[in-house]
Amino acid sequence: MPFVFAPSAPVAVPVAGSQDTFPVRRVYCVGRNYAAHAREMGFDPDREPPFFFCKPADAVVPVAQDQTLDLPYPPETANLHYEIELVAAIGKGGANIAVEDALQHVWGYAVGLDMTRRDLQMKMREAGRPWELGKAFDQSAPIGPLHRAESVGDVCHAAIWLQVNGQDKQRSDISKLIWSIAETIAYLSKYFRLEAGDLIYTGTPEGVGPVVRGDVMTGGIDGLGTLNVRMV
């Protein structure tokens, strides 16, 4: 079947210790999934049903281990925030997945950043409008190499952290997720059929804040390496 123009190549995330890459299909993000972060954003962190927003697949920017991504400061914002997150990569599709089976659908995990134009997000939130302007902009989802699930051990209790210019900004533990990785996958699969290639950004801990040009962010999760990004 001929195309009017050549379609874009899929975004592909490198796999740690391999020449293979993981093609990205969709990007789902969980909002306010750590209690302390929910509080710092002005919300009561009870276990109400999780909520989700999406980023386009081409917002994902793969970053090789031990390399630093030069990330352009995005337009139309004066308050760009970092949010360090555990990313779960789906390797087996399914709908209405049971919680006890959910982790069997995970191919691997990575360190990710959900970059957020906070001023635009807040403006949209106050107006009762979708968050795309604040969340789904170009290059808003840097990600480190994917690590196969069977190779990383107990990621559900791993430390997660982020520094800006060498100073601690976020430091927590994946066990503090309000909705666990398995619960998040099970709940999301009731509304969308998950497929191989989907990425789920599972939420950020407390300590989010702004960066400006020249700032260097270094984030990590135990067992998954680090992610290095410089704002330019």
Side-chain angles (χ1 to χ4, degrees):
M1 178 178 64
F3 293 103
V4 173
F5 53 85
S8 299
V11 175
V13 180
V15 174
S18 171
Q19 296 298 311
D20 293 339
T21 57
F22 183 93
V24 178
R25 175 179 176 266
R26 291 182 181 173
V27 181
Y28 300 97
C29 303
V30 189
R32 297 195 297 267
N33 203 20
Y34 286 82
H37 173 58
R39 292 190 188 98
E40 75 179 352
M41 298 302 292
F43 294 91
D44 181 23
D46 59 19
R47 273 177 61 92
E48 63 181 359
F51 73 92
F52 300 88
F53 57 92
C54 294
K55 293 176 183 270
D58 62 3
V60 171
V61 190
V63 185
Q65 185 63 45
D66 299 324
Q67 293 190 4
T68 298
L69 169 70
D70 282 339
L71 184 66
Y73 195 93
E76 301 299 325
T77 183
N79 193 21
L80 179 70
H81 279 209
Y82 52 79
E83 296 188 9
I84 192 71
E85 309 205 4
L86 170 69
V87 182
I90 300 299
K92 181 176 71 173
N96 295 308
I97 299 168
V99 172
E100 57 269 26
D101 298 329
L103 295 185
Q104 298 175 23
H105 291 257
V106 177
W107 189 92
Y109 298 99
V111 182
L113 276 170
D114 168 18
M115 300 303 295
T116 302
R117 294 192 284 204
R118 190 72 73 199
D119 43 2
L120 299 186
Q121 182 199 18
M122 294 298 99
K123 183 178 179 180
M124 295 300 104
R125 192 180 81 183
E126 290 165 5
R129 295 174 180 173
W131 289 4
E132 275 81 359
L133 291 181
K135 288 287 193 179
F137 54 94
D138 298 339
Q139 298 183 296
S140 60
I143 188 172
L146 275 168
H147 296 251
R148 296 177 184 272
E150 60 268 22
S151 72
V152 299
D154 185 13
V155 72
C156 296
H157 292 84
I160 180 172
W161 55 273
L162 181 131
Q163 296 179 333
V164 178
N165 302 327
Q167 296 185 346
D168 266 15
K169 297 296 183 179
Q170 294 184 273
R171 191 166 290 274
S172 188
D173 193 281
I174 302 301
S175 64
K176 294 184 179 180
L177 284 167
I178 297 173
W179 291 88
S180 70
I181 301 165
E183 290 172 328
T184 295
I185 291 169
Y187 190 88
L188 181 60
S189 74
K190 296 194 297 183
Y191 295 91
F192 300 91
R193 179 177 174 83
L194 300 178
E195 297 290 358
D198 291 344
L199 299 179
I200 302 175
Y201 280 61
T202 59
T204 194
E206 70 276 14
V208 300
V211 285
V212 298
R213 290 181 177 89
D215 283 345
V216 176
M217 295 169 283
T218 301
I221 298 172
D222 285 357
L224 302 180
T226 57
L227 174 61
N228 304 296
V229 177
R230 178 190 298 112
M231 298 307 307
V232 296

